[in-house]
Amino acid sequence: MKFLHTGDWHIGKKIKEFGLEEEQQAAFESIRQIAQENQVDAIVIAGDLYDSSRPTETAVSMLNQMLIQLNIKDEFPLIAINGNHDSAVRLGTGSQWYQATNFYLNTELKKAFEPVEFEDTEFFLVPYFKIQAARTIFGKDYQDIASAMKDVVAACEANFTPNKKHVFVGHFFAAGSTRTDSDTATEVGGLGAVPIDLFENFDYVALGHLHSKDALSAQMVKYSGSPLKFSASEANNQKGVWIVDTDTMRVDFVDIKPIHDLKRIKGSLDELTSTEYKVKNDLDNKTFVAVTLTDKEPQVDAFSRLSATYPRMFSLKMEAIEKDFGGKNVVIDSPDKVAPTEMMDIFFNEVIKQPLEEDNRKLLLETLKEAEEE
Amino acid sequence: MKFLHTGDWHIGKKIKEFGLEEEQQAAFESIRQIAQENQVDAIVIAGDLYDSSRPTETAVSMLNQMLIQLNIKDEFPLIAINGNHDSAVRLGTGSQWYQATNFYLNTELKKAFEPVEFEDTEFFLVPYFKIQAARTIFGKDYQDIASAMKDVVAACEANFTPNKKHVFVGHFFAAGSTRTDSDTATEVGGLGAVPIDLFENFDYVALGHLHSKDALSAQMVKYSGSPLKFSASEANNQKGVWIVDTDTMRVDFVDIKPIHDLKRIKGSLDELTSTEYKVKNDLDNKTFVAVTLTDKEPQVDAFSRLSATYPRMFSLKMEAIEKDFGGKNVVIDSPDKVAPTEMMDIFFNEVIKQPLEEDNRKLLLETLKEAEEE
């Protein structure tokens, strides 16, 4: 069989104040098209369907329509679990009825060990779970998620039908095969890391949680990544879905091009606000932009000029501050006892490492006065 | 065919701070039992399944289990609409899948005009709707819900199959046949009143919204009422469900006995806190109690003594205050400029109509001082 592996849709997410309805709808249409073009037999969604455990009505309505489209209208079998962003109870509403149309949505750990079977393949649907759920099921006092996952995996393996392919669908932080892997931490998003060697008896592990498809280097343990870039750290990510063929165990990545990209840009204020720069770098008014300014001096009109140039700027940093600041805080013992003007001086002397110039001081004082009057 | 008519479950509701999980679960079991004993062919739930448009996970989990029990396990066909307390979008999640097991949940006005058919009967599922929804569908600028409802009814009637029975399921405020009916207001819960003569072509109108089964005196237009008493004004309501037989058009009410009753009690503090009174009036520690004290003098320890006697007291009033006060407010122009002691005097002079006695004044001042120190 052939299936499409996606996840981390985060329906309802905003980037700063900017809603993503249009972008998420377009990414969904791309997934649909990829599924049709590749004639997949099922679509796997590995958790974090919603961005929030209490999604808005708009988000609920949007995800409902997407699932109706894929499962009822297009008649794709669906395989899904909740992620840490979803409420298992809210997302799970209706799931007992969904199975009649081959929509398998599991939000309960205790139901993970009976596989869902499609042709030659058994899918084990392991939702995001808290360690307490595993303690209740297995009666052991696990101290970390990796030990709990070991028993979850064993419980799945106990139900393997030989000569079938076995796919594990999960939502957690998987680390390299050893805990000393240089680019992994032991905690991400509050989930302990799970070493990927645990899953060696599975033919494929379809993961959600990390937003980069390249988070793991293993051949058969994959994060799908999110279908859209959601933060500056994902600006250079390649987004899309995996197409997995269980006959050949070939795994292909198919790109999703966003209708509005998310980019990091860096330069001086004059450079970045020039029309040439925008055109040359293929930036339009709907591009989500994270700006790093290279000007040495603070530019008082930086925010307004950049916002006018990039209406969807969601982050603004100064390289000079990042460098000198070195990520450390200047600690002021009792900030409520420091006058705003004094605070300004501390900021310029300690952080910018240059005293506040008289012109700028005057401007800041005026602004402060206006703010107080308001 | 025979169907059971219920509504206004308000899952997730609290009476003051007291959760009703146990009581709502027990009332649900009664409904289930009545449905089984009467061998009904369908169960109609006329809106307000939830108490809130953003129900808690506990409430979602509870209602999900109830619907799974009735429809999937007991195999009762279900007919349901949203009420004004429900979110149409949230409650409607999954409804496209529910129909496969004869669970018809409609939360969209535009889908109300195609009946759901059971044996000899056509059910028209008209959800609670805002006037704007009717304007969009019918292209008229309705000024009140009654005019909109007239067109909704006509749209249903246009789809009547002759020689079938026709049942209207709705959730709104229905008034007597004229707007001057003495015991009806033109607005309840923000819904305009709809005269019941509109529905004369229907064989039965299964309503939700008002919590009393006796809210209307019509034979074939009925509120089911809520399965539990939710407020002091419902203390003397008879609670239960209607069993409707479409062959004979016989309508019977079947009682639901609450596991913990809700009662109004009235008497002096000494009387109400006596063991004899509790025993004689069949009041236990789980009874929800609304108290009216008949003592002429304010009793400073009334709240603590009554709470100790009735742990689920949810309302405490003094008859003397109610009488003298006559429901009108004593208006103080600038309450923030009146000292607490002065406020006390105004209250006793204007509301209690007796000056504050010296002993009580001393006690109040001490309490005030303690509160300020904290």
Side-chain angles (χ1 to χ4, degrees), chain A residues 146-281:
Chain A
S147 334
M149 193 63 85
K150 208 171 162 182
D151 285 349
V152 167
V153 165
C156 294
E157 288 178 354
N159 289 334
F160 274 17
T161 303
N163 304 322
K164 292 260 178 190
K165 296 288 164 66
H166 303 103
V167 175
F168 186 102
V169 181
H171 189 98
F172 53 85
F173 175 51
S177 56
T178 68
R179 296 287 289 248
T180 55
D181 210 292
S182 69
D183 60 349
T184 59
T186 52
E187 289 279 335
V188 162
L191 300 166
V194 175
I196 65 169
D197 356 21
L198 267 189
F199 303 94
E200 58 191 4
N201 293 330
F202 285 88
D203 295 283
Y204 185 78
V205 181
L207 294 178
H209 191 50
L210 300 187
H211 289 188
S212 163
K213 77 170 187 67
D214 300 315
L216 294 172
S217 52
Q219 174 62 13
M220 286 317 204
V221 186
K222 297 280 190 205
Y223 284 100
S224 65
S226 52
L228 282 176
K229 301 172 186 178
F230 290 130
S231 69
S233 65
E234 297 172 44
N236 297 322
N237 278 186
Q238 189 188 358
K239 296 297 188 186
V241 299
W242 293 106
I243 301 289
V244 182
D245 187 325
T246 60
D247 296 333
T248 59
M249 288 322 296
R250 183 180 157 155
V251 177
D252 290 303
F253 194 76
V254 182
D255 285 357
I256 295 175
K257 293 276 163 247
I259 49 168
H260 308 123
D261 209 348
L262 181 153
K263 294 185 178 176
R264 293 159 97 151
I265 58 174
K266 187 169 161 179
S268 69
L269 181 60
D270 287 338
E271 186 186 356
L272 297 185
T273 51
S274 69
T275 310
E276 298 73 45
Y277 187 90
K278 266 190 93 165
V279 172
K280 204 183 77 187
N281 290 280

Side-chain angles (χ1 to χ4, degrees), chain B residues 51-186:
Chain B
D51 189 55
S52 159
S53 63
R54 288 175 72 93
T56 62
E57 281 200 349
T58 310
V60 173
S61 177
M62 183 183 272
L63 184 65
N64 283 351
Q65 289 311 314
M66 289 172 173
L67 298 175
I68 288 165
Q69 180 67 51
L70 289 182
N71 182 246
I72 293 189
K73 296 185 183 166
D74 299 341
E75 297 184 1
F76 283 113
L78 298 184
I79 290 171
I81 56 171
N82 60 294
N84 55 310
H85 278 250
D86 302 304
S87 152
V89 167
R90 291 201 176 90
L91 182 67
T93 295
S95 54
Q96 281 83 353
W97 281 269
Y98 295 161
Q99 300 174 18
T101 55
N102 284 324
F103 176 6
Y104 300 92
L105 167 61
N106 185 27
T107 61
E108 294 176 67
L109 180 59
K110 65 169 191 271
K111 295 184 180 167
F113 317 120
E114 282 300 328
V116 172
E117 217 174 307
F118 278 99
E119 304 182 21
D120 65 339
T121 305
E122 290 182 330
F123 290 88
F124 292 84
L125 280 58
V126 181
Y128 165 78
F129 63 90
K130 295 215 173 99
I131 209 162
Q132 187 52 51
R135 286 185 188 139
T136 307
I137 290 173
F138 297 106
K140 292 191 197 165
D141 190 26
Y142 304 112
Q143 294 307 304
D144 56 61
I145 205 79
S147 336
M149 193 63 83
K150 207 171 164 181
D151 284 349
V152 167
V153 165
C156 294
E157 288 177 355
N159 288 333
F160 273 16
T161 304
N163 304 321
K164 292 260 179 190
K165 296 289 163 64
H166 304 103
V167 175
F168 187 100
V169 181
H171 189 99
F172 53 84
F173 175 49
S177 58
T178 69
R179 296 286 289 249
T180 55
D181 209 291
S182 69
D183 61 349
T184 58
T186 52

Side-chain angles (χ1 to χ4, degrees), chain B residues 26 33 124 163 185 200 252 336:
Chain B
Q33 203 184 330
F124 292 84
N163 304 321
E200 57 192 4
D252 290 303
D336 51 334

Side-chain angles (χ1 to χ4, degrees), chain A residues 37 53 318 369:
Chain A
E37 287 173 0
S53 63
M318 290 195 61
K369 209 180 148 199

